[in-house]
Amino acid sequence: MLKRIMIVALALTFVFGAQIAIAGLLEDIQARGELIAGVKDAVVPFGFVDEATNDIVGFDIDICRYIADKLGVELRLEPVTSATRIPMLEQGSVDILAATMTHKFERDEQIDFSITYFMDGQKLLVAADSGITSVADLAGQKVGTSKGSTSEQNIAEAQPDCIVVSFEGYPEAFLALKQGKVVAVTTDSTILLGLKNSDENPENWAIVGEFISDEPYGLGVPENESDFRDFVNLCLAEMWKSGDYMTIYNKWFGEDTAYYLPLEWEMEIWP
Ligand code: GLU
């Protein structure tokens, strides 16, 4: 009898254990009723604090809100930096990253990515009267950027003779530029446009040089959560096909905004 009970108990453990293993992040989010998104909170216009409401707003936030709405859950925002975002996703502190993050094969070793949902490239932000026009002018000079970004790697490759100074985030790097501690800030061009046009005197600053990299942004999702990643990709594809993507894109990067970036790429859509 005892033996039989033990066998039944073992079988039950196996069945329920297997069920727990099968239930993935998608089900967890639905059960919790909340999608926790890691977003930037000081990167205009991707994720920043709206001073009137104290809410974090921006392009990345609108993308996450669309996904949360499709899931039928609330959206919770957790601020991340370029350096903290991947560890936070790995630890399970957030479900998804919408944080100006370029999809790199190198990063694929730690997390998974959605299809590309935004495309940019890296440039330089300098004082308008600096005389700097390209990376060639940065030899022997200090250049500010953010810790944990592709920007710090790309600039070191594009100009091995410059001194890369990495800050917590881009506003700190811009402050260093204003204080004369660095001669340029480098990162994705739209982030630079956000810094320049959020300044009281945008005309004092210039975005210069050729693109020194391609920066296709992907949403970060945890490794091996394919149901969740499929869902996220489906949301992006639906957003693109329905025109909702363009509405969000134009709200932040359209011609009438201070962050105009012509859309010159197409989302990967399959039938
Ligand atoms: N897109 C680049 C990256 O993923 C630079 C912007 C950022 O630091 O988030 O590293």
Side-chain angles (χ1 to χ4, degrees):
M1 181 66 182
L2 191 65
K3 205 172 160 193
R4 202 181 283 171
I5 290 172
M6 275 173 70
I7 289 169
V8 171
L10 218 95
L12 283 174
T13 313
F14 181 76
V15 169
F16 288 111
Q19 264 183 4
I20 289 163
I22 289 165
L25 183 58
L26 186 64
E27 290 82 0
D28 288 351
I29 294 165
Q30 275 161 335
R32 193 198 302 140
E34 194 175 58
L35 174 70
I36 309 171
V39 298
K40 295 286 182 85
D41 67 353
V43 180
V44 179
F46 292 91
F48 61 101
V49 177
D50 176 345
E51 279 171 16
T53 60
N54 252 352
D55 291 331
I56 304 177
V57 297
F59 174 73
D60 276 338
I61 284 75
D62 285 353
I63 298 283
C64 289
R65 182 153 294 115
Y66 183 97
I67 298 169
D69 286 350
K70 288 279 165 190
L71 279 163
V73 299
E74 296 293 315
L75 177 64
R76 190 166 111 207
L77 303 173
E78 284 292 337
V80 298
T81 68
S82 300
T84 64
R85 59 193 164 189
I86 291 179
M88 281 182 73
L89 184 67
E90 282 184 301
Q91 285 156 18
S93 311
V94 295
D95 302 315
I96 190 166
L97 291 172
T100 67
M101 186 167 57
T102 302
H103 186 174
K104 296 264 290 181
F105 274 121
E106 198 179 294
R107 290 175 173 164
D108 244 318
E109 285 171 21
Q110 287 168 281
I111 60 169
D112 281 338
F113 283 87
S114 72
I115 54 173
T116 299
Y117 75 100
F118 183 81
M119 193 80 89
D120 199 359
Q122 185 170 339
K123 287 200 171 191
L124 307 173
L125 176 69
V126 295
D129 59 2
S130 68
I132 296 170
T133 58
S134 75
V135 287
D137 299 322
L138 297 178
Q141 304 280 6
K142 287 187 179 158
V143 184
T145 189
S146 176
K147 220 183 292 168
S149 65
T150 52
S151 320
E152 47 174 10
Q153 300 174 352
N154 298 334
I155 191 64
E157 274 166 37
Q159 179 43 281
D161 294 331
C162 76
I163 302 140
V164 181
V165 188
S166 293
F167 295 87
E168 176 88 1
Y170 298 104
E172 292 85 350
F174 192 33
L175 186 66
L177 176 62
K178 291 177 183 175
Q179 293 170 339
K181 293 179 181 163
V182 297
V183 300
V185 175
T186 189
T187 187
D188 307 337
S189 76
T190 329
I191 299 179
L192 297 179
L193 207 53
L195 293 173
K196 174 178 151 78
N197 288 341
S198 305
D199 191 66
E200 279 175 18
N201 303 104
E203 67 284 0
N204 290 350
W205 311 103
I207 296 169
V208 298
E210 300 294 315
F211 282 113
I212 63 167
S213 67
D214 289 329
E215 304 291 331
Y217 288 10
L219 299 170
V221 293
E223 284 269 88
N224 305 322
E225 289 288 354
S226 62
D227 283 354
F228 182 52
R229 188 167 56 152
D230 282 350
F231 186 87
V232 168
N233 282 339
L234 195 73
C235 285
L236 290 172
E238 274 179 17
M239 202 185 289
W240 184 270
K241 285 197 278 191
S242 65
D244 289 327
Y245 179 88
M246 277 318 292
T247 307
I248 297 175
Y249 189 91
N250 286 331
K251 174 177 165 191
W252 298 105
F253 307 110
E255 257 177 295
D256 304 334
T257 68
Y259 317 106
Y260 178 45
L261 182 73
L263 197 149
E264 288 169 347
W265 58 279
E266 277 186 19
M267 197 178 278
E268 175 197 345
I269 299 292
W270 54 89

mmCIF file of all heavy atoms in Angstrom, residues 40 43 60 81-83 85 99-104 107 113 120 122 145-154 168-170 186-188 191 213-218, ligand 1:
data_model
loop_
_atom_site.group_PDB
_atom_site.id
_atom_site.type_symbol
_atom_site.label_atom_id
_atom_site.label_comp_id
_atom_site.label_asym_id
_atom_site.label_seq_id
_atom_site.Cartn_x
_atom_site.Cartn_y
_atom_site.Cartn_z
ATOM 1 N N LYS A 40 14.503 52.974 -20.679
ATOM 2 C CA LYS A 40 15.347 54.100 -20.291
ATOM 3 C C LYS A 40 14.444 55.186 -19.697
ATOM 4 O O LYS A 40 13.286 55.327 -20.117
ATOM 5 C CB LYS A 40 16.086 54.643 -21.525
ATOM 6 C CG LYS A 40 17.076 53.666 -22.150
ATOM 7 C CD LYS A 40 18.317 53.538 -21.303
ATOM 8 C CE LYS A 40 19.361 52.616 -21.913
ATOM 9 N NZ LYS A 40 20.253 53.224 -22.881
ATOM 10 N N VAL A 43 16.445 59.114 -21.748
ATOM 11 C CA VAL A 43 16.866 59.126 -23.150
ATOM 12 C C VAL A 43 15.700 59.626 -24.013
ATOM 13 O O VAL A 43 14.808 58.861 -24.399
ATOM 14 C CB VAL A 43 17.348 57.720 -23.608
ATOM 15 C CG1 VAL A 43 17.775 57.764 -25.073
ATOM 16 C CG2 VAL A 43 18.519 57.247 -22.760
ATOM 17 N N ASP A 60 9.821 53.897 -26.942
ATOM 18 C CA ASP A 60 9.932 52.531 -26.398
ATOM 19 C C ASP A 60 8.766 52.197 -25.478
ATOM 20 O O ASP A 60 8.330 51.044 -25.409
ATOM 21 C CB ASP A 60 11.261 52.376 -25.644
ATOM 22 C CG ASP A 60 12.432 52.038 -26.578
ATOM 23 O OD1 ASP A 60 12.185 51.524 -27.690
ATOM 24 O OD2 ASP A 60 13.594 52.283 -26.197
ATOM 25 N N THR A 81 19.660 51.095 -17.274
ATOM 26 C CA THR A 81 20.705 51.828 -18.010
ATOM 27 C C THR A 81 21.282 50.862 -19.050
ATOM 28 O O THR A 81 20.958 49.660 -19.040
ATOM 29 C CB THR A 81 21.839 52.294 -17.073
ATOM 30 O OG1 THR A 81 22.534 51.129 -16.609
ATOM 31 C CG2 THR A 81 21.316 53.093 -15.891
ATOM 32 N N SER A 82 22.176 51.384 -19.875
ATOM 33 C CA SER A 82 22.790 50.512 -20.885
ATOM 34 C C SER A 82 23.542 49.366 -20.216
ATOM 35 O O SER A 82 23.584 48.257 -20.737
ATOM 36 C CB SER A 82 23.738 51.321 -21.775
ATOM 37 O OG SER A 82 23.028 52.336 -22.434
ATOM 38 N N ALA A 83 24.135 49.634 -19.045
ATOM 39 C CA ALA A 83 24.920 48.597 -18.362
ATOM 40 C C ALA A 83 24.058 47.635 -17.550
ATOM 41 O O ALA A 83 24.403 46.465 -17.412
ATOM 42 C CB ALA A 83 25.962 49.256 -17.463
ATOM 43 N N ARG A 85 20.732 46.811 -18.106
ATOM 44 C CA ARG A 85 19.540 46.214 -18.735
ATOM 45 C C ARG A 85 19.645 44.690 -18.923
ATOM 46 O O ARG A 85 18.692 43.970 -18.583
ATOM 47 C CB ARG A 85 19.215 46.921 -20.061
ATOM 48 C CG ARG A 85 20.310 46.876 -21.077
ATOM 49 C CD ARG A 85 20.087 47.850 -22.246
ATOM 50 N NE ARG A 85 21.339 48.017 -22.958
ATOM 51 C CZ ARG A 85 21.559 48.904 -23.903
ATOM 52 N NH1 ARG A 85 20.609 49.725 -24.273
ATOM 53 N NH2 ARG A 85 22.722 48.979 -24.492
ATOM 54 N N ALA A 99 14.754 49.374 -24.685
ATOM 55 C CA ALA A 99 15.708 50.300 -24.071
ATOM 56 C C ALA A 99 16.821 50.695 -25.039
ATOM 57 O O ALA A 99 17.995 50.507 -24.739
ATOM 58 C CB ALA A 99 16.278 49.673 -22.799
ATOM 59 N N THR A 100 16.437 51.212 -26.195
ATOM 60 C CA THR A 100 17.393 51.680 -27.220
ATOM 61 C C THR A 100 18.500 50.654 -27.461
ATOM 62 O O THR A 100 19.650 51.005 -27.686
ATOM 63 C CB THR A 100 18.035 53.050 -26.846
ATOM 64 O OG1 THR A 100 18.874 52.900 -25.690
ATOM 65 C CG2 THR A 100 17.005 54.123 -26.601
ATOM 66 N N MET A 101 18.120 49.374 -27.438
ATOM 67 C CA MET A 101 19.152 48.330 -27.438
ATOM 68 C C MET A 101 19.355 47.714 -28.827
ATOM 69 O O MET A 101 18.424 47.163 -29.417
ATOM 70 C CB MET A 101 18.801 47.246 -26.429
ATOM 71 C CG MET A 101 19.917 46.218 -26.293
ATOM 72 S SD MET A 101 19.716 45.163 -24.865
ATOM 73 C CE MET A 101 18.108 44.474 -25.175
ATOM 74 N N THR A 102 20.580 47.797 -29.270
ATOM 75 C CA THR A 102 20.948 47.196 -30.550
ATOM 76 C C THR A 102 21.038 45.683 -30.418
ATOM 77 O O THR A 102 21.551 45.176 -29.424
ATOM 78 C CB THR A 102 22.314 47.758 -31.004
ATOM 79 O OG1 THR A 102 22.191 49.177 -31.095
ATOM 80 C CG2 THR A 102 22.739 47.191 -32.339
ATOM 81 N N HIS A 103 20.509 45.015 -31.446
ATOM 82 C CA HIS A 103 20.613 43.558 -31.487
ATOM 83 C C HIS A 103 22.008 43.187 -32.001
ATOM 84 O O HIS A 103 22.335 43.450 -33.154
ATOM 85 C CB HIS A 103 19.531 43.009 -32.425
ATOM 86 C CG HIS A 103 19.454 41.523 -32.438
ATOM 87 N ND1 HIS A 103 18.484 40.841 -33.112
ATOM 88 C CD2 HIS A 103 20.228 40.577 -31.842
ATOM 89 C CE1 HIS A 103 18.666 39.534 -32.954
ATOM 90 N NE2 HIS A 103 19.711 39.350 -32.187
ATOM 91 N N LYS A 104 22.802 42.620 -31.125
ATOM 92 C CA LYS A 104 24.164 42.193 -31.487
ATOM 93 C C LYS A 104 24.267 40.691 -31.249
ATOM 94 O O LYS A 104 23.747 40.190 -30.252
ATOM 95 C CB LYS A 104 25.199 42.870 -30.563
ATOM 96 C CG LYS A 104 25.284 44.356 -30.665
ATOM 97 C CD LYS A 104 26.380 44.800 -31.603
ATOM 98 C CE LYS A 104 27.777 44.540 -31.078
ATOM 99 N NZ LYS A 104 28.802 45.006 -32.008
ATOM 100 N N ARG A 107 25.380 39.939 -27.799
ATOM 101 C CA ARG A 107 24.360 40.008 -26.743
ATOM 102 C C ARG A 107 23.427 38.805 -26.788
ATOM 103 O O ARG A 107 22.793 38.453 -25.792
ATOM 104 C CB ARG A 107 23.566 41.315 -26.876
ATOM 105 C CG ARG A 107 24.395 42.540 -26.525
ATOM 106 C CD ARG A 107 23.652 43.834 -26.782
ATOM 107 N NE ARG A 107 24.416 44.968 -26.280
ATOM 108 C CZ ARG A 107 24.210 46.230 -26.599
ATOM 109 N NH1 ARG A 107 23.223 46.541 -27.422
ATOM 110 N NH2 ARG A 107 24.947 47.192 -26.093
ATOM 111 N N PHE A 113 16.326 38.194 -28.710
ATOM 112 C CA PHE A 113 15.835 39.461 -29.253
ATOM 113 C C PHE A 113 14.614 39.247 -30.139
ATOM 114 O O PHE A 113 14.475 38.194 -30.768
ATOM 115 C CB PHE A 113 16.927 40.120 -30.104
ATOM 116 C CG PHE A 113 18.013 40.782 -29.292
ATOM 117 C CD1 PHE A 113 19.107 40.052 -28.847
ATOM 118 C CD2 PHE A 113 17.934 42.121 -28.966
ATOM 119 C CE1 PHE A 113 20.114 40.650 -28.103
ATOM 120 C CE2 PHE A 113 18.933 42.735 -28.223
ATOM 121 C CZ PHE A 113 20.028 42.002 -27.785
ATOM 122 N N ASP A 120 18.881 52.755 -36.535
ATOM 123 C CA ASP A 120 19.635 54.010 -36.479
ATOM 124 C C ASP A 120 21.109 53.686 -36.708
ATOM 125 O O ASP A 120 21.467 52.559 -37.102
ATOM 126 C CB ASP A 120 19.414 54.688 -35.111
ATOM 127 C CG ASP A 120 19.764 56.172 -35.132
ATOM 128 O OD1 ASP A 120 20.201 56.693 -36.171
ATOM 129 O OD2 ASP A 120 19.613 56.824 -34.076
ATOM 130 N N GLN A 122 25.389 55.314 -35.537
ATOM 131 C CA GLN A 122 26.111 56.150 -34.558
ATOM 132 C C GLN A 122 26.782 57.369 -35.198
ATOM 133 O O GLN A 122 27.383 57.269 -36.279
ATOM 134 C CB GLN A 122 27.166 55.279 -33.875
ATOM 135 C CG GLN A 122 27.917 55.970 -32.761
ATOM 136 C CD GLN A 122 28.767 55.017 -31.961
ATOM 137 O OE1 GLN A 122 28.522 53.810 -31.963
ATOM 138 N NE2 GLN A 122 29.760 55.540 -31.271
ATOM 139 N N THR A 145 30.545 58.759 -23.708
ATOM 140 C CA THR A 145 29.443 57.885 -24.119
ATOM 141 C C THR A 145 28.917 57.143 -22.887
ATOM 142 O O THR A 145 29.276 57.506 -21.765
ATOM 143 C CB THR A 145 29.880 56.932 -25.255
ATOM 144 O OG1 THR A 145 28.712 56.263 -25.745
ATOM 145 C CG2 THR A 145 30.916 55.921 -24.802
ATOM 146 N N SER A 146 28.077 56.139 -23.110
ATOM 147 C CA SER A 146 27.487 55.432 -21.968
ATOM 148 C C SER A 146 28.122 54.062 -21.767
ATOM 149 O O SER A 146 28.381 53.329 -22.736
ATOM 150 C CB SER A 146 25.985 55.292 -22.205
ATOM 151 O OG SER A 146 25.405 54.538 -21.185
ATOM 152 N N LYS A 147 28.303 53.747 -20.497
ATOM 153 C CA LYS A 147 28.834 52.440 -20.106
ATOM 154 C C LYS A 147 27.901 51.331 -20.600
ATOM 155 O O LYS A 147 26.683 51.464 -20.477
ATOM 156 C CB LYS A 147 28.873 52.396 -18.569
ATOM 157 C CG LYS A 147 30.073 51.737 -17.960
ATOM 158 C CD LYS A 147 29.951 51.708 -16.438
ATOM 159 C CE LYS A 147 30.041 53.096 -15.815
ATOM 160 N NZ LYS A 147 29.637 53.117 -14.399
ATOM 161 N N GLY A 148 28.451 50.271 -21.139
ATOM 162 C CA GLY A 148 27.620 49.129 -21.542
ATOM 163 C C GLY A 148 26.959 49.287 -22.898
ATOM 164 O O GLY A 148 26.089 48.505 -23.262
ATOM 165 N N SER A 149 27.359 50.315 -23.657
ATOM 166 C CA SER A 149 26.729 50.555 -24.965
ATOM 167 C C SER A 149 27.589 50.014 -26.097
ATOM 168 O O SER A 149 28.798 49.803 -25.930
ATOM 169 C CB SER A 149 26.524 52.060 -25.169
ATOM 170 O OG SER A 149 27.777 52.712 -25.235
ATOM 171 N N THR A 150 26.960 49.839 -27.249
ATOM 172 C CA THR A 150 27.730 49.511 -28.449
ATOM 173 C C THR A 150 28.566 50.727 -28.843
ATOM 174 O O THR A 150 29.609 50.577 -29.479
ATOM 175 C CB THR A 150 26.794 49.150 -29.626
ATOM 176 O OG1 THR A 150 25.839 50.208 -29.775
ATOM 177 C CG2 THR A 150 26.065 47.859 -29.393
ATOM 178 N N SER A 151 28.081 51.912 -28.456
ATOM 179 C CA SER A 151 28.751 53.165 -28.846
ATOM 180 C C SER A 151 30.194 53.192 -28.349
ATOM 181 O O SER A 151 31.084 53.672 -29.055
ATOM 182 C CB SER A 151 27.987 54.361 -28.279
ATOM 183 O OG SER A 151 26.604 54.170 -28.359
ATOM 184 N N GLU A 152 30.437 52.694 -27.135
ATOM 185 C CA GLU A 152 31.811 52.724 -26.608
ATOM 186 C C GLU A 152 32.719 51.776 -27.394
ATOM 187 O O GLU A 152 33.879 52.086 -27.611
ATOM 188 C CB GLU A 152 31.906 52.513 -25.084
ATOM 189 C CG GLU A 152 31.148 51.402 -24.493
ATOM 190 C CD GLU A 152 31.381 51.152 -22.997
ATOM 191 O OE1 GLU A 152 32.009 51.952 -22.283
ATOM 192 O OE2 GLU A 152 30.914 50.095 -22.536
ATOM 193 N N GLN A 153 32.160 50.662 -27.841
ATOM 194 C CA GLN A 153 32.964 49.732 -28.660
ATOM 195 C C GLN A 153 33.216 50.323 -30.048
ATOM 196 O O GLN A 153 34.349 50.313 -30.542
ATOM 197 C CB GLN A 153 32.223 48.403 -28.855
ATOM 198 C CG GLN A 153 31.900 47.667 -27.575
ATOM 199 C CD GLN A 153 31.030 46.438 -27.843
ATOM 200 O OE1 GLN A 153 30.551 46.214 -28.953
ATOM 201 N NE2 GLN A 153 30.821 45.626 -26.819
ATOM 202 N N ASN A 154 32.141 50.847 -30.664
ATOM 203 C CA ASN A 154 32.258 51.337 -32.048
ATOM 204 C C ASN A 154 33.244 52.491 -32.175
ATOM 205 O O ASN A 154 34.008 52.552 -33.134
ATOM 206 C CB ASN A 154 30.899 51.821 -32.568
ATOM 207 C CG ASN A 154 29.868 50.706 -32.620
ATOM 208 O OD1 ASN A 154 30.221 49.536 -32.742
ATOM 209 N ND2 ASN A 154 28.602 51.068 -32.521
ATOM 210 N N GLU A 168 27.463 56.904 -16.777
ATOM 211 C CA GLU A 168 26.270 56.119 -16.427
ATOM 212 C C GLU A 168 25.230 56.173 -17.566
ATOM 213 O O GLU A 168 24.615 55.185 -17.915
ATOM 214 C CB GLU A 168 25.684 56.726 -15.139
ATOM 215 C CG GLU A 168 24.404 56.121 -14.659
ATOM 216 C CD GLU A 168 24.637 54.933 -13.752
ATOM 217 O OE1 GLU A 168 25.809 54.601 -13.484
ATOM 218 O OE2 GLU A 168 23.634 54.344 -13.335
ATOM 219 N N GLY A 169 25.067 57.378 -18.116
ATOM 220 C CA GLY A 169 24.091 57.543 -19.203
ATOM 221 C C GLY A 169 24.478 58.716 -20.077
ATOM 222 O O GLY A 169 25.496 59.379 -19.839
ATOM 223 N N TYR A 170 23.639 58.981 -21.084
ATOM 224 C CA TYR A 170 23.961 60.033 -22.055
ATOM 225 C C TYR A 170 23.828 61.456 -21.504
ATOM 226 O O TYR A 170 24.631 62.323 -21.876
ATOM 227 C CB TYR A 170 23.151 59.814 -23.338
ATOM 228 C CG TYR A 170 23.543 58.488 -23.948
ATOM 229 C CD1 TYR A 170 22.725 57.368 -23.843
ATOM 230 C CD2 TYR A 170 24.788 58.336 -24.545
ATOM 231 C CE1 TYR A 170 23.122 56.139 -24.342
ATOM 232 C CE2 TYR A 170 25.198 57.111 -25.050
ATOM 233 C CZ TYR A 170 24.356 56.018 -24.942
ATOM 234 O OH TYR A 170 24.764 54.798 -25.424
ATOM 235 N N THR A 186 29.223 60.530 -28.232
ATOM 236 C CA THR A 186 28.909 59.655 -29.366
ATOM 237 C C THR A 186 27.945 58.551 -28.967
ATOM 238 O O THR A 186 28.089 57.930 -27.920
ATOM 239 C CB THR A 186 30.196 59.065 -29.997
ATOM 240 O OG1 THR A 186 29.829 58.401 -31.216
ATOM 241 C CG2 THR A 186 30.916 58.095 -29.072
ATOM 242 N N THR A 187 26.926 58.389 -29.806
ATOM 243 C CA THR A 187 25.980 57.281 -29.701
ATOM 244 C C THR A 187 25.059 57.351 -30.925
ATOM 245 O O THR A 187 25.347 58.074 -31.893
ATOM 246 C CB THR A 187 25.185 57.285 -28.380
ATOM 247 O OG1 THR A 187 24.420 56.064 -28.319
ATOM 248 C CG2 THR A 187 24.230 58.464 -28.248
ATOM 249 N N ASP A 188 23.908 56.652 -30.856
ATOM 250 C CA ASP A 188 22.969 56.629 -31.983
ATOM 251 C C ASP A 188 22.462 58.040 -32.276
ATOM 252 O O ASP A 188 22.196 58.812 -31.344
ATOM 253 C CB ASP A 188 21.812 55.683 -31.653
ATOM 254 C CG ASP A 188 22.323 54.309 -31.238
ATOM 255 O OD1 ASP A 188 23.465 53.963 -31.608
ATOM 256 O OD2 ASP A 188 21.600 53.600 -30.520
ATOM 257 N N ILE A 191 19.445 59.603 -30.447
ATOM 258 C CA ILE A 191 19.693 59.911 -29.034
ATOM 259 C C ILE A 191 20.440 61.239 -28.957
ATOM 260 O O ILE A 191 20.147 62.094 -28.111
ATOM 261 C CB ILE A 191 20.485 58.771 -28.349
ATOM 262 C CG1 ILE A 191 19.686 57.459 -28.392
ATOM 263 C CG2 ILE A 191 20.842 59.150 -26.912
ATOM 264 C CD1 ILE A 191 20.380 56.259 -27.764
ATOM 265 N N SER A 213 28.263 53.239 -37.659
ATOM 266 C CA SER A 213 27.770 51.881 -37.382
ATOM 267 C C SER A 213 26.314 51.770 -37.797
ATOM 268 O O SER A 213 25.659 52.777 -38.030
ATOM 269 C CB SER A 213 27.853 51.577 -35.885
ATOM 270 O OG SER A 213 26.926 52.416 -35.201
ATOM 271 N N ASP A 214 25.825 50.527 -37.878
ATOM 272 C CA ASP A 214 24.385 50.254 -38.005
ATOM 273 C C ASP A 214 23.901 49.826 -36.641
ATOM 274 O O ASP A 214 24.557 49.008 -35.988
ATOM 275 C CB ASP A 214 24.133 49.107 -38.994
ATOM 276 C CG ASP A 214 24.425 49.526 -40.419
ATOM 277 O OD1 ASP A 214 24.233 50.716 -40.734
ATOM 278 O OD2 ASP A 214 24.868 48.662 -41.207
ATOM 279 N N GLU A 215 22.770 50.366 -36.230
ATOM 280 C CA GLU A 215 22.236 50.032 -34.904
ATOM 281 C C GLU A 215 20.777 49.584 -35.032
ATOM 282 O O GLU A 215 19.852 50.372 -34.812
ATOM 283 C CB GLU A 215 22.344 51.245 -33.963
ATOM 284 C CG GLU A 215 23.742 51.818 -33.802
ATOM 285 C CD GLU A 215 24.712 50.920 -33.040
ATOM 286 O OE1 GLU A 215 24.285 50.131 -32.175
ATOM 287 O OE2 GLU A 215 25.929 51.006 -33.339
ATOM 288 N N PRO A 216 20.544 48.319 -35.402
ATOM 289 C CA PRO A 216 19.171 47.820 -35.444
ATOM 290 C C PRO A 216 18.689 47.477 -34.029
ATOM 291 O O PRO A 216 19.304 46.646 -33.360
ATOM 292 C CB PRO A 216 19.275 46.568 -36.316
ATOM 293 C CG PRO A 216 20.696 46.131 -36.211
ATOM 294 C CD PRO A 216 21.534 47.304 -35.804
ATOM 295 N N TYR A 217 17.635 48.128 -33.587
ATOM 296 C CA TYR A 217 17.146 47.885 -32.219
ATOM 297 C C TYR A 217 16.235 46.654 -32.175
ATOM 298 O O TYR A 217 15.367 46.487 -33.025
ATOM 299 C CB TYR A 217 16.325 49.084 -31.704
ATOM 300 C CG TYR A 217 17.092 50.341 -31.365
ATOM 301 C CD1 TYR A 217 18.427 50.514 -31.698
ATOM 302 C CD2 TYR A 217 16.451 51.383 -30.688
ATOM 303 C CE1 TYR A 217 19.106 51.680 -31.383
ATOM 304 C CE2 TYR A 217 17.123 52.566 -30.368
ATOM 305 C CZ TYR A 217 18.449 52.706 -30.720
ATOM 306 O OH TYR A 217 19.106 53.870 -30.410
ATOM 307 N N GLY A 218 16.434 45.841 -31.134
ATOM 308 C CA GLY A 218 15.535 44.719 -30.881
ATOM 309 C C GLY A 218 15.017 44.807 -29.458
ATOM 310 O O GLY A 218 15.680 45.400 -28.597
HETATM 311 N N1 GLU B 1 21.939 51.261 -29.313
HETATM 312 C C1 GLU B 1 23.180 51.272 -28.617
HETATM 313 C C2 GLU B 1 23.276 50.106 -27.649
HETATM 314 O O1 GLU B 1 22.454 49.287 -27.621
HETATM 315 C C3 GLU B 1 23.460 52.587 -27.936
HETATM 316 C C4 GLU B 1 22.331 53.147 -27.128
HETATM 317 C C5 GLU B 1 22.309 52.620 -25.694
HETATM 318 O O2 GLU B 1 23.330 52.717 -24.988
HETATM 319 O O3 GLU B 1 21.265 52.139 -25.289
HETATM 320 O O4 GLU B 1 24.210 49.976 -26.912
#
